[in-house]
Amino acid sequence: MASSLAERRAGRLFVSPTVLTLLVLGAFPLLFILAAAFTDSSLGKPFKEFTGADNLATVLGNADVVASLSRTVGYAVGTTAASVVLGVVVATAVHQAVRSGAVVRTLLLLPLIVPPVVVGTLFKLIFNPAGGLLATVLGFVGIPAPAPLSDPGLALGAVMVADIWEWTPLVFILVFAALLGQDPSITEAARMDGAHGWKLFAAVTLPAIAGTIAAAAFIRLVLALKVFDLVYIMTAGGPGQSTTTTSYLIHQVALKEFDIGRASAITLLLAVVVTLVTLPAAGLAARLRRKEEATA
Amino acid sequence: MKTLELDRGAPPATVAVTGGAGGPGTSPDAPGAPRRRRGRPAWAVTVVVLALAATLVPLAYLLSVSLMGRDETVSGILFTTSPRFSNWADVVVGTDLPRSIANSVVAALGGAALSLAFGLPGAWAIVRYRSGGRGLAGLVTSPWLLPPIVAVVPLFTLLRILGLNDTLLGLTLVYALLNVPIAVWLLEGFVRKLPPDVFEAAALDGAGPWRTLGLVVVPLMVPALVAVGTITAILNYNEFLLATFITQSPESQTAPVALSLFYGDRTPHFGKIAAASVMVIVPVFAVATFLQRWMVDGLTSGVGK
């Protein structure tokens, strides 16, 4: 599309707020973090003195930091896998079982709009060993009340349950829209050829929506890597360090210890890890999307 | 996914894949089509029922606990026989909660309006004039990819320099910027679906870029602006991490921050915490009930483009 000079000039002006945003939210924080990571910095007085790689060496040698990074990645991969499987299954089921799905869809989407702080509160109530929903229901069948949020082996899983409850509806609605957008004549043709049930789904439906599933999985992964609110409300990182994700650890170091230099060094590591995890996922999603378009 | 006119209430000719909510009958469901006669598979009905239960039981439980007295919340009952609506009154009257909810609404709506005002010209220029080239188009979403904790301390410092720390205005501006990438990304999907001949006609009539944007693009994009505005407003309303850093005083606190402070007591009253949670959800649920069709449209547009 050839743009005139006037259009190019107006276009530059139109994108300037977007560019400004990228500078303030992207470039500025990264440069700030980079500068703070290599200096002795506190919240009140950043960049006091250049300290080289001291901060990075300290945090890389800290077992808690390294453990929090692998915990964050494990958490994100686990919640993403669960959300994607559940989201696809529910979307397919709603597509098969309900004619228009308007009411069902409205109800299934409710968790998406509940503030994460409320989601955390809600699951804290559910998991409360003294009279919570889980303990009460298990009590009916005679199983002793578990205390998921104060058991180091269960706490992270309990936070994941809340996260999965909150964000699976996003996967559901994206996949459901893709299912509705399918060309019905292709499915009909496959059915005429004798394909039905699981075979029809695996051979015709799944390839047609694979790109959407990959994109939804990517978005879900990014959201899971950001987890902070649920940890803050449900466990405050405990018991011990068992639910201390890296975002929560940075919050602790920055606001409880006021050590911005060390917090920035951890932030830098988190940014690197998030990039390493999301880039291959983004590439895979883009490849599947292109394939989906080629077959469509 | 090519056709995404989900429930937009568009004229029937374009509603190819309508999923319900008052839309006209979709072609696969037309009477006599083979699909109808196959009935509803039992597994699918079971999954739908389970999914509805998993979604709704926790919300119903929250409502139930919000009506319990302090002793009842730890006594192992699922609902109380003597509901205490006084819990609801207690968390609203004489507390910071109503003001914090009002603060949240202001920051959410103000931030969303600014995000749209910043994002729409950008989305249009990126699609129509290729402004910024592939570089800008690819970089737009990059700030969204990193966890927000990365930006917290730098933004905190920036607001302090500007004298906007611990103010609702500062938080609103942060929310406005925070959602520009999402707004541009989602709006791009809608801009691509605008009929190109409209712009050619406008250009033939001698309309420059500004007039085309104001008089052609904006009116055509109203449904998209409602969709993306609703999504960004809800994201703002629910945001916690930045709000807890930026707003400390009761005057500027948002609802999620105020709610997080309910745990401050040594022996928290779960009934009142649940009641406060219910109060915080009410505005989002009210908005979402009215605007859900548009929200779904906005969500699916970004991924489907």
Side-chain angles (χ1 to χ4, degrees):
Chain A
M1 196 182 320
S3 305
S4 74
L5 183 66
E7 283 178 338
R8 260 179 284 143
R9 206 179 288 152
R12 272 202 294 276
L13 209 57
F14 289 164
V15 295
S16 56
T18 308
V19 174
L20 178 77
T21 305
L22 292 181
L23 292 177
V24 176
L25 280 182
F28 164 65
L30 280 181
L31 288 176
F32 186 105
I33 294 296
L34 214 54
F38 290 98
T39 53
D40 181 15
S41 292
S42 67
L43 199 55
K45 288 190 185 130
F47 323 127
K48 274 185 286 195
E49 171 185 5
F50 183 75
T51 54
D54 284 4
N55 284 325
L56 273 174
T58 312
V59 300
L60 272 175
N62 186 325
D64 284 350
V65 174
V66 177
S68 85
L69 284 167
S70 65
R71 193 177 294 124
T72 303
V73 172
Y75 176 95
V77 171
T79 45
T80 302
S83 290
V84 169
V85 170
L86 290 173
V88 171
V89 169
V90 174
T92 314
V94 173
H95 188 237
Q96 295 272 321
V98 192
R99 195 174 302 217
S100 75
V103 176
V104 169
R105 197 189 63 191
T106 305
L107 294 174
L108 288 179
L109 289 186
L110 284 177
L112 271 189
I113 56 171
V114 178
V117 171
V118 174
V119 175
T121 301
L122 171 52
F123 278 87
K124 210 173 161 163
L125 293 174
I126 289 175
F127 291 139
N128 177 15
L133 180 62
L134 181 67
T136 306
V137 170
L138 289 181
F140 291 153
V141 286
I143 298 172
L149 294 178
S150 42
D151 181 334
L154 296 176
L156 194 67
V159 180
M160 288 169 83
V161 169
D163 201 330
I164 292 164
W165 184 82
E166 185 181 1
W167 287 110
T168 299
L170 182 65
V171 179
F172 157 74
I173 191 63
L174 295 175
V175 175
F176 186 61
L179 287 171
L180 290 174
Q182 271 183 292
D183 185 351
S185 62
I186 295 176
T187 328
E188 261 338 292
R191 199 169 283 138
M192 299 288 186
D193 290 344
H196 54 86
W198 169 251
K199 239 169 138 184
L200 178 72
F201 181 77
V204 179
T205 311
L206 201 56
I209 60 170
T212 303
I213 295 175
F218 172 69
I219 293 173
R220 185 66 191 88
L221 184 68
V222 171
L223 289 170
L225 285 166
K226 296 182 184 192
V227 65
F228 173 81
D229 331 38
L230 292 176
V231 171
Y232 183 98
I233 295 291
M234 290 176 75
T235 62
Q241 298 268 314
S242 61
T243 57
T244 303
T245 59
T246 308
S247 281
Y248 192 77
L249 182 68
I250 295 166
H251 169 88
Q252 293 287 85
V253 175
L255 271 200
K256 294 259 160 71
E257 301 168 27
F258 299 109
D259 189 341
I260 298 302
R262 207 152 61 81
S264 297
I266 305 173
T267 309
L268 211 54
L269 285 182
L270 177 64
V272 170
V273 169
V274 167
T275 310
L276 288 179
V277 173
T278 48
L279 271 188
L284 184 70
R287 211 166 62 225
L288 282 168
R289 162 65 30 97
R290 278 198 297 277
K291 220 157 109 192
E292 176 185 308
E293 266 158 21
T295 54
Chain B
M1 202 158 45
K2 296 254 161 52
T3 31
L4 280 154
E5 275 76 20
L6 264 160
D7 302 344
R8 182 128 21 105
T14 61
V15 186
V17 293
T18 301
T26 56
S27 46
D29 287 351
R35 196 187 124 93
R36 262 303 120 235
R37 268 186 258 122
R38 284 183 305 115
R40 304 171 179 198
W43 76 267
V45 175
T46 314
V47 168
V48 172
V49 170
L50 287 177
L52 283 172
T55 305
L56 298 178
V57 167
L59 290 171
Y61 183 66
L62 183 71
L63 195 64
S64 169
V65 174
S66 80
L67 295 170
M68 288 183 192
R70 188 188 280 271
D71 298 337
E72 287 174 314
T73 59
V74 290
S75 65
I77 54 169
L78 295 183
F79 51 89
T80 174
T81 46
S82 53
R84 286 176 204 218
F85 289 95
S86 60
N87 280 348
W88 294 9
D90 288 349
V91 294
V92 171
V93 180
T95 68
D96 292 327
L97 194 65
R99 176 161 52 185
S100 74
I101 293 176
N103 283 344
S104 279
V105 171
V106 169
L109 295 180
L114 285 171
S115 295
L116 293 178
F118 287 174
L120 178 63
W124 189 56
I126 287 172
V127 172
R128 176 78 186 162
Y129 303 139
R130 310 267 157 98
S131 303
R134 290 174 66 91
L136 182 61
L139 277 175
V140 162
T141 48
S142 58
W144 177 78
L145 298 178
L146 286 178
I149 193 94
V150 173
V152 161
V153 174
L155 287 178
F156 181 83
T157 311
L158 184 67
L159 284 179
R160 203 169 48 197
I161 293 168
L162 295 174
L164 290 172
N165 198 21
D166 199 15
T167 64
L168 199 55
L169 177 65
L171 186 68
T172 307
L173 290 176
V174 167
Y175 283 171
L177 288 181
L178 198 65
N179 283 319
V180 168
I182 295 177
V184 171
W185 186 55
L186 293 177
L187 287 172
E188 266 182 42
F190 287 96
V191 171
R192 276 180 220 286
K193 283 185 280 173
L194 293 178
D197 23 326
V198 180
F199 306 121
E200 265 128 53
L204 284 177
D205 284 346
W210 285 93
R211 285 178 52 131
T212 311
L213 176 66
L215 299 177
V216 181
V217 177
V218 171
L220 284 173
M221 289 286 284
V222 167
L225 292 172
V226 174
V228 179
T230 308
I231 292 168
T232 49
I234 289 178
L235 287 174
N236 290 342
Y237 185 89
N238 291 351
E239 203 281 333
F240 174 67
L241 175 59
L242 289 160
T244 187
F245 266 81
I246 291 170
T247 66
Q248 298 93 13
S249 64
E251 286 74 32
S252 60
Q253 253 165 28
T254 64
V257 178
L259 197 56
S260 74
L261 298 176
F262 268 78
Y263 288 101
D265 301 348
R266 194 168 280 269
T267 49
H269 187 320
F270 291 126
K272 287 190 182 172
I273 290 173
S277 302
V278 171
M279 294 300 141
V280 172
I281 304 183
V282 166
V284 249
F285 272 37
V287 168
T289 313
F290 287 112
L291 297 176
Q292 212 228 55
R293 299 189 306 146
W294 283 275
M295 256 174 69
V296 170
D297 218 12
L299 285 174
T300 47
S301 162
V303 175
K305 69 178 180 229

PDB file of all heavy atoms in Angstrom, chain B residues 183-211:
ATOM      1  N   ALA B 183      -4.596  -2.887  24.054  1.00  0.00           N
ATOM      2  CA  ALA B 183      -5.602  -2.189  23.247  1.00  0.00           C
ATOM      3  C   ALA B 183      -5.192  -2.193  21.772  1.00  0.00           C
ATOM      4  O   ALA B 183      -6.002  -2.515  20.896  1.00  0.00           O
ATOM      5  CB  ALA B 183      -5.796  -0.761  23.757  1.00  0.00           C
ATOM      6  N   VAL B 184      -3.929  -1.854  21.488  1.00  0.00           N
ATOM      7  CA  VAL B 184      -3.468  -1.824  20.094  1.00  0.00           C
ATOM      8  C   VAL B 184      -3.595  -3.222  19.490  1.00  0.00           C
ATOM      9  O   VAL B 184      -4.112  -3.397  18.382  1.00  0.00           O
ATOM     10  CB  VAL B 184      -2.003  -1.336  20.005  1.00  0.00           C
ATOM     11  CG1 VAL B 184      -1.458  -1.514  18.589  1.00  0.00           C
ATOM     12  CG2 VAL B 184      -1.905   0.122  20.426  1.00  0.00           C
ATOM     13  N   TRP B 185      -3.165  -4.225  20.248  1.00  0.00           N
ATOM     14  CA  TRP B 185      -3.167  -5.600  19.744  1.00  0.00           C
ATOM     15  C   TRP B 185      -4.578  -6.064  19.398  1.00  0.00           C
ATOM     16  O   TRP B 185      -4.838  -6.601  18.323  1.00  0.00           O
ATOM     17  CB  TRP B 185      -2.541  -6.506  20.808  1.00  0.00           C
ATOM     18  CG  TRP B 185      -2.358  -7.914  20.377  1.00  0.00           C
ATOM     19  CD1 TRP B 185      -1.689  -8.355  19.267  1.00  0.00           C
ATOM     20  CD2 TRP B 185      -2.839  -9.074  21.061  1.00  0.00           C
ATOM     21  NE1 TRP B 185      -1.729  -9.728  19.233  1.00  0.00           N
ATOM     22  CE2 TRP B 185      -2.421 -10.192  20.308  1.00  0.00           C
ATOM     23  CE3 TRP B 185      -3.571  -9.276  22.227  1.00  0.00           C
ATOM     24  CZ2 TRP B 185      -2.722 -11.490  20.696  1.00  0.00           C
ATOM     25  CZ3 TRP B 185      -3.857 -10.569  22.605  1.00  0.00           C
ATOM     26  CH2 TRP B 185      -3.440 -11.660  21.850  1.00  0.00           C
ATOM     27  N   LEU B 186      -5.533  -5.820  20.338  1.00  0.00           N
ATOM     28  CA  LEU B 186      -6.909  -6.260  20.092  1.00  0.00           C
ATOM     29  C   LEU B 186      -7.578  -5.418  19.007  1.00  0.00           C
ATOM     30  O   LEU B 186      -8.297  -5.939  18.161  1.00  0.00           O
ATOM     31  CB  LEU B 186      -7.726  -6.197  21.384  1.00  0.00           C
ATOM     32  CG  LEU B 186      -7.332  -7.169  22.501  1.00  0.00           C
ATOM     33  CD1 LEU B 186      -8.176  -6.932  23.740  1.00  0.00           C
ATOM     34  CD2 LEU B 186      -7.468  -8.609  22.044  1.00  0.00           C
ATOM     35  N   LEU B 187      -7.330  -4.092  19.017  1.00  0.00           N
ATOM     36  CA  LEU B 187      -7.973  -3.221  18.032  1.00  0.00           C
ATOM     37  C   LEU B 187      -7.477  -3.513  16.613  1.00  0.00           C
ATOM     38  O   LEU B 187      -8.245  -3.398  15.659  1.00  0.00           O
ATOM     39  CB  LEU B 187      -7.730  -1.745  18.384  1.00  0.00           C
ATOM     40  CG  LEU B 187      -8.516  -1.223  19.592  1.00  0.00           C
ATOM     41  CD1 LEU B 187      -8.056   0.178  19.971  1.00  0.00           C
ATOM     42  CD2 LEU B 187     -10.013  -1.222  19.315  1.00  0.00           C
ATOM     43  N   GLU B 188      -6.197  -3.896  16.490  1.00  0.00           N
ATOM     44  CA  GLU B 188      -5.663  -4.249  15.167  1.00  0.00           C
ATOM     45  C   GLU B 188      -6.554  -5.284  14.480  1.00  0.00           C
ATOM     46  O   GLU B 188      -6.835  -5.183  13.288  1.00  0.00           O
ATOM     47  CB  GLU B 188      -4.259  -4.845  15.307  1.00  0.00           C
ATOM     48  CG  GLU B 188      -3.138  -3.860  15.154  1.00  0.00           C
ATOM     49  CD  GLU B 188      -1.792  -4.575  15.258  1.00  0.00           C
ATOM     50  OE1 GLU B 188      -1.655  -5.663  14.677  1.00  0.00           O
ATOM     51  OE2 GLU B 188      -0.915  -4.043  15.952  1.00  0.00           O
ATOM     52  N   GLY B 189      -6.983  -6.289  15.255  1.00  0.00           N
ATOM     53  CA  GLY B 189      -7.835  -7.339  14.704  1.00  0.00           C
ATOM     54  C   GLY B 189      -9.118  -6.763  14.116  1.00  0.00           C
ATOM     55  O   GLY B 189      -9.583  -7.197  13.063  1.00  0.00           O
ATOM     56  N   PHE B 190      -9.680  -5.766  14.818  1.00  0.00           N
ATOM     57  CA  PHE B 190     -10.919  -5.151  14.338  1.00  0.00           C
ATOM     58  C   PHE B 190     -10.645  -4.255  13.122  1.00  0.00           C
ATOM     59  O   PHE B 190     -11.442  -4.219  12.185  1.00  0.00           O
ATOM     60  CB  PHE B 190     -11.564  -4.311  15.440  1.00  0.00           C
ATOM     61  CG  PHE B 190     -12.202  -5.129  16.533  1.00  0.00           C
ATOM     62  CD1 PHE B 190     -11.512  -5.408  17.700  1.00  0.00           C
ATOM     63  CD2 PHE B 190     -13.490  -5.608  16.395  1.00  0.00           C
ATOM     64  CE1 PHE B 190     -12.094  -6.141  18.708  1.00  0.00           C
ATOM     65  CE2 PHE B 190     -14.091  -6.353  17.392  1.00  0.00           C
ATOM     66  CZ  PHE B 190     -13.386  -6.626  18.552  1.00  0.00           C
ATOM     67  N   VAL B 191      -9.533  -3.499  13.159  1.00  0.00           N
ATOM     68  CA  VAL B 191      -9.221  -2.589  12.056  1.00  0.00           C
ATOM     69  C   VAL B 191      -9.060  -3.378  10.759  1.00  0.00           C
ATOM     70  O   VAL B 191      -9.525  -2.971   9.694  1.00  0.00           O
ATOM     71  CB  VAL B 191      -7.933  -1.785  12.358  1.00  0.00           C
ATOM     72  CG1 VAL B 191      -7.489  -1.005  11.129  1.00  0.00           C
ATOM     73  CG2 VAL B 191      -8.163  -0.834  13.531  1.00  0.00           C
ATOM     74  N   ARG B 192      -8.421  -4.566  10.857  1.00  0.00           N
ATOM     75  CA  ARG B 192      -8.214  -5.389   9.665  1.00  0.00           C
ATOM     76  C   ARG B 192      -9.535  -5.813   9.024  1.00  0.00           C
ATOM     77  O   ARG B 192      -9.589  -6.097   7.837  1.00  0.00           O
ATOM     78  CB  ARG B 192      -7.431  -6.643  10.028  1.00  0.00           C
ATOM     79  CG  ARG B 192      -5.944  -6.435  10.045  1.00  0.00           C
ATOM     80  CD  ARG B 192      -5.210  -7.706  10.416  1.00  0.00           C
ATOM     81  NE  ARG B 192      -4.101  -7.389  11.300  1.00  0.00           N
ATOM     82  CZ  ARG B 192      -2.994  -6.808  10.886  1.00  0.00           C
ATOM     83  NH1 ARG B 192      -2.851  -6.502   9.619  1.00  0.00           N
ATOM     84  NH2 ARG B 192      -2.029  -6.522  11.743  1.00  0.00           N
ATOM     85  N   LYS B 193     -10.594  -5.896   9.843  1.00  0.00           N
ATOM     86  CA  LYS B 193     -11.873  -6.364   9.314  1.00  0.00           C
ATOM     87  C   LYS B 193     -12.725  -5.233   8.745  1.00  0.00           C
ATOM     88  O   LYS B 193     -13.797  -5.481   8.215  1.00  0.00           O
ATOM     89  CB  LYS B 193     -12.652  -7.099  10.420  1.00  0.00           C
ATOM     90  CG  LYS B 193     -12.119  -8.502  10.647  1.00  0.00           C
ATOM     91  CD  LYS B 193     -12.962  -9.272  11.643  1.00  0.00           C
ATOM     92  CE  LYS B 193     -12.624  -8.884  13.056  1.00  0.00           C
ATOM     93  NZ  LYS B 193     -13.499  -9.470  14.055  1.00  0.00           N
ATOM     94  N   LEU B 194     -12.253  -3.972   8.889  1.00  0.00           N
ATOM     95  CA  LEU B 194     -13.014  -2.864   8.297  1.00  0.00           C
ATOM     96  C   LEU B 194     -12.938  -2.967   6.780  1.00  0.00           C
ATOM     97  O   LEU B 194     -11.896  -3.304   6.232  1.00  0.00           O
ATOM     98  CB  LEU B 194     -12.425  -1.520   8.755  1.00  0.00           C
ATOM     99  CG  LEU B 194     -12.555  -1.166  10.236  1.00  0.00           C
ATOM    100  CD1 LEU B 194     -11.868   0.166  10.508  1.00  0.00           C
ATOM    101  CD2 LEU B 194     -14.005  -1.094  10.655  1.00  0.00           C
ATOM    102  N   PRO B 195     -14.054  -2.673   6.098  1.00  0.00           N
ATOM    103  CA  PRO B 195     -14.039  -2.762   4.627  1.00  0.00           C
ATOM    104  C   PRO B 195     -13.132  -1.685   4.031  1.00  0.00           C
ATOM    105  O   PRO B 195     -13.333  -0.499   4.292  1.00  0.00           O
ATOM    106  CB  PRO B 195     -15.503  -2.511   4.252  1.00  0.00           C
ATOM    107  CG  PRO B 195     -16.104  -1.821   5.439  1.00  0.00           C
ATOM    108  CD  PRO B 195     -15.354  -2.288   6.635  1.00  0.00           C
ATOM    109  N   PRO B 196     -12.115  -2.073   3.229  1.00  0.00           N
ATOM    110  CA  PRO B 196     -11.152  -1.091   2.722  1.00  0.00           C
ATOM    111  C   PRO B 196     -11.771  -0.068   1.772  1.00  0.00           C
ATOM    112  O   PRO B 196     -11.269   1.054   1.685  1.00  0.00           O
ATOM    113  CB  PRO B 196     -10.089  -1.940   2.005  1.00  0.00           C
ATOM    114  CG  PRO B 196     -10.662  -3.301   1.881  1.00  0.00           C
ATOM    115  CD  PRO B 196     -11.789  -3.441   2.858  1.00  0.00           C
ATOM    116  N   ASP B 197     -12.844  -0.438   1.068  1.00  0.00           N
ATOM    117  CA  ASP B 197     -13.410   0.518   0.098  1.00  0.00           C
ATOM    118  C   ASP B 197     -13.937   1.778   0.774  1.00  0.00           C
ATOM    119  O   ASP B 197     -13.994   2.838   0.163  1.00  0.00           O
ATOM    120  CB  ASP B 197     -14.496  -0.124  -0.775  1.00  0.00           C
ATOM    121  CG  ASP B 197     -15.137  -1.337  -0.147  1.00  0.00           C
ATOM    122  OD1 ASP B 197     -14.392  -2.052   0.570  1.00  0.00           O
ATOM    123  OD2 ASP B 197     -16.336  -1.565  -0.343  1.00  0.00           O
ATOM    124  N   VAL B 198     -14.307   1.670   2.062  1.00  0.00           N
ATOM    125  CA  VAL B 198     -14.781   2.864   2.770  1.00  0.00           C
ATOM    126  C   VAL B 198     -13.687   3.924   2.800  1.00  0.00           C
ATOM    127  O   VAL B 198     -13.934   5.116   2.604  1.00  0.00           O
ATOM    128  CB  VAL B 198     -15.213   2.504   4.209  1.00  0.00           C
ATOM    129  CG1 VAL B 198     -15.702   3.742   4.952  1.00  0.00           C
ATOM    130  CG2 VAL B 198     -16.295   1.450   4.169  1.00  0.00           C
ATOM    131  N   PHE B 199     -12.439   3.466   3.027  1.00  0.00           N
ATOM    132  CA  PHE B 199     -11.339   4.434   3.105  1.00  0.00           C
ATOM    133  C   PHE B 199     -11.003   5.004   1.746  1.00  0.00           C
ATOM    134  O   PHE B 199     -10.669   6.172   1.608  1.00  0.00           O
ATOM    135  CB  PHE B 199     -10.095   3.773   3.711  1.00  0.00           C
ATOM    136  CG  PHE B 199     -10.383   3.128   5.022  1.00  0.00           C
ATOM    137  CD1 PHE B 199     -10.176   1.785   5.206  1.00  0.00           C
ATOM    138  CD2 PHE B 199     -10.894   3.885   6.060  1.00  0.00           C
ATOM    139  CE1 PHE B 199     -10.470   1.189   6.402  1.00  0.00           C
ATOM    140  CE2 PHE B 199     -11.185   3.289   7.263  1.00  0.00           C
ATOM    141  CZ  PHE B 199     -10.972   1.939   7.435  1.00  0.00           C
ATOM    142  N   GLU B 200     -11.102   4.151   0.723  1.00  0.00           N
ATOM    143  CA  GLU B 200     -10.844   4.657  -0.624  1.00  0.00           C
ATOM    144  C   GLU B 200     -11.878   5.710  -1.004  1.00  0.00           C
ATOM    145  O   GLU B 200     -11.544   6.741  -1.563  1.00  0.00           O
ATOM    146  CB  GLU B 200     -10.837   3.509  -1.633  1.00  0.00           C
ATOM    147  CG  GLU B 200      -9.426   2.986  -1.894  1.00  0.00           C
ATOM    148  CD  GLU B 200      -9.291   1.487  -1.722  1.00  0.00           C
ATOM    149  OE1 GLU B 200     -10.072   0.762  -2.349  1.00  0.00           O
ATOM    150  OE2 GLU B 200      -8.408   1.064  -0.941  1.00  0.00           O
ATOM    151  N   ALA B 201     -13.135   5.441  -0.625  1.00  0.00           N
ATOM    152  CA  ALA B 201     -14.187   6.427  -0.900  1.00  0.00           C
ATOM    153  C   ALA B 201     -13.909   7.725  -0.161  1.00  0.00           C
ATOM    154  O   ALA B 201     -14.032   8.821  -0.717  1.00  0.00           O
ATOM    155  CB  ALA B 201     -15.548   5.866  -0.490  1.00  0.00           C
ATOM    156  N   ALA B 202     -13.476   7.600   1.107  1.00  0.00           N
ATOM    157  CA  ALA B 202     -13.181   8.795   1.898  1.00  0.00           C
ATOM    158  C   ALA B 202     -12.033   9.562   1.269  1.00  0.00           C
ATOM    159  O   ALA B 202     -12.059  10.797   1.196  1.00  0.00           O
ATOM    160  CB  ALA B 202     -12.844   8.399   3.335  1.00  0.00           C
ATOM    161  N   ALA B 203     -11.004   8.830   0.787  1.00  0.00           N
ATOM    162  CA  ALA B 203      -9.856   9.488   0.167  1.00  0.00           C
ATOM    163  C   ALA B 203     -10.275  10.200  -1.114  1.00  0.00           C
ATOM    164  O   ALA B 203      -9.817  11.307  -1.396  1.00  0.00           O
ATOM    165  CB  ALA B 203      -8.765   8.451  -0.127  1.00  0.00           C
ATOM    166  N   LEU B 204     -11.171   9.567  -1.897  1.00  0.00           N
ATOM    167  CA  LEU B 204     -11.647  10.197  -3.130  1.00  0.00           C
ATOM    168  C   LEU B 204     -12.400  11.479  -2.825  1.00  0.00           C
ATOM    169  O   LEU B 204     -12.350  12.441  -3.582  1.00  0.00           O
ATOM    170  CB  LEU B 204     -12.557   9.229  -3.908  1.00  0.00           C
ATOM    171  CG  LEU B 204     -11.835   8.103  -4.653  1.00  0.00           C
ATOM    172  CD1 LEU B 204     -12.848   7.185  -5.312  1.00  0.00           C
ATOM    173  CD2 LEU B 204     -10.864   8.679  -5.685  1.00  0.00           C
ATOM    174  N   ASP B 205     -13.098  11.480  -1.694  1.00  0.00           N
ATOM    175  CA  ASP B 205     -13.824  12.686  -1.294  1.00  0.00           C
ATOM    176  C   ASP B 205     -12.891  13.750  -0.732  1.00  0.00           C
ATOM    177  O   ASP B 205     -13.337  14.795  -0.283  1.00  0.00           O
ATOM    178  CB  ASP B 205     -14.882  12.344  -0.231  1.00  0.00           C
ATOM    179  CG  ASP B 205     -16.088  11.676  -0.862  1.00  0.00           C
ATOM    180  OD1 ASP B 205     -16.197  11.739  -2.101  1.00  0.00           O
ATOM    181  OD2 ASP B 205     -16.908  11.097  -0.117  1.00  0.00           O
ATOM    182  N   GLY B 206     -11.606  13.458  -0.722  1.00  0.00           N
ATOM    183  CA  GLY B 206     -10.638  14.449  -0.280  1.00  0.00           C
ATOM    184  C   GLY B 206     -10.396  14.459   1.211  1.00  0.00           C
ATOM    185  O   GLY B 206      -9.815  15.403   1.742  1.00  0.00           O
ATOM    186  N   ALA B 207     -10.848  13.414   1.934  1.00  0.00           N
ATOM    187  CA  ALA B 207     -10.623  13.375   3.375  1.00  0.00           C
ATOM    188  C   ALA B 207      -9.179  12.967   3.661  1.00  0.00           C
ATOM    189  O   ALA B 207      -8.692  11.981   3.132  1.00  0.00           O
ATOM    190  CB  ALA B 207     -11.587  12.390   4.032  1.00  0.00           C
ATOM    191  N   GLY B 208      -8.494  13.759   4.484  1.00  0.00           N
ATOM    192  CA  GLY B 208      -7.130  13.440   4.874  1.00  0.00           C
ATOM    193  C   GLY B 208      -7.141  12.419   5.988  1.00  0.00           C
ATOM    194  O   GLY B 208      -8.196  11.964   6.429  1.00  0.00           O
ATOM    195  N   PRO B 209      -5.942  12.037   6.477  1.00  0.00           N
ATOM    196  CA  PRO B 209      -5.848  11.019   7.530  1.00  0.00           C
ATOM    197  C   PRO B 209      -6.626  11.381   8.790  1.00  0.00           C
ATOM    198  O   PRO B 209      -7.256  10.511   9.399  1.00  0.00           O
ATOM    199  CB  PRO B 209      -4.346  10.957   7.822  1.00  0.00           C
ATOM    200  CG  PRO B 209      -3.680  11.537   6.637  1.00  0.00           C
ATOM    201  CD  PRO B 209      -4.640  12.504   6.025  1.00  0.00           C
ATOM    202  N   TRP B 210      -6.616  12.663   9.169  1.00  0.00           N
ATOM    203  CA  TRP B 210      -7.277  13.055  10.416  1.00  0.00           C
ATOM    204  C   TRP B 210      -8.781  12.914  10.304  1.00  0.00           C
ATOM    205  O   TRP B 210      -9.443  12.402  11.191  1.00  0.00           O
ATOM    206  CB  TRP B 210      -6.917  14.498  10.790  1.00  0.00           C
ATOM    207  CG  TRP B 210      -5.538  14.599  11.336  1.00  0.00           C
ATOM    208  CD1 TRP B 210      -4.391  14.872  10.634  1.00  0.00           C
ATOM    209  CD2 TRP B 210      -5.139  14.386  12.697  1.00  0.00           C
ATOM    210  NE1 TRP B 210      -3.312  14.839  11.474  1.00  0.00           N
ATOM    211  CE2 TRP B 210      -3.734  14.555  12.738  1.00  0.00           C
ATOM    212  CE3 TRP B 210      -5.826  14.076  13.864  1.00  0.00           C
ATOM    213  CZ2 TRP B 210      -3.015  14.422  13.920  1.00  0.00           C
ATOM    214  CZ3 TRP B 210      -5.103  13.952  15.041  1.00  0.00           C
ATOM    215  CH2 TRP B 210      -3.714  14.117  15.066  1.00  0.00           C
ATOM    216  N   ARG B 211      -9.319  13.439   9.177  1.00  0.00           N
ATOM    217  CA  ARG B 211     -10.774  13.356   8.996  1.00  0.00           C
ATOM    218  C   ARG B 211     -11.216  11.916   8.834  1.00  0.00           C
ATOM    219  O   ARG B 211     -12.258  11.509   9.349  1.00  0.00           O
ATOM    220  CB  ARG B 211     -11.196  14.177   7.780  1.00  0.00           C
ATOM    221  CG  ARG B 211     -11.166  15.673   8.054  1.00  0.00           C
ATOM    222  CD  ARG B 211     -11.545  16.435   6.813  1.00  0.00           C
ATOM    223  NE  ARG B 211     -12.820  15.916   6.298  1.00  0.00           N
ATOM    224  CZ  ARG B 211     -13.831  16.698   5.972  1.00  0.00           C
ATOM    225  NH1 ARG B 211     -13.734  17.999   6.123  1.00  0.00           N
ATOM    226  NH2 ARG B 211     -14.943  16.191   5.482  1.00  0.00           N
TER     227      ARG B 211
END
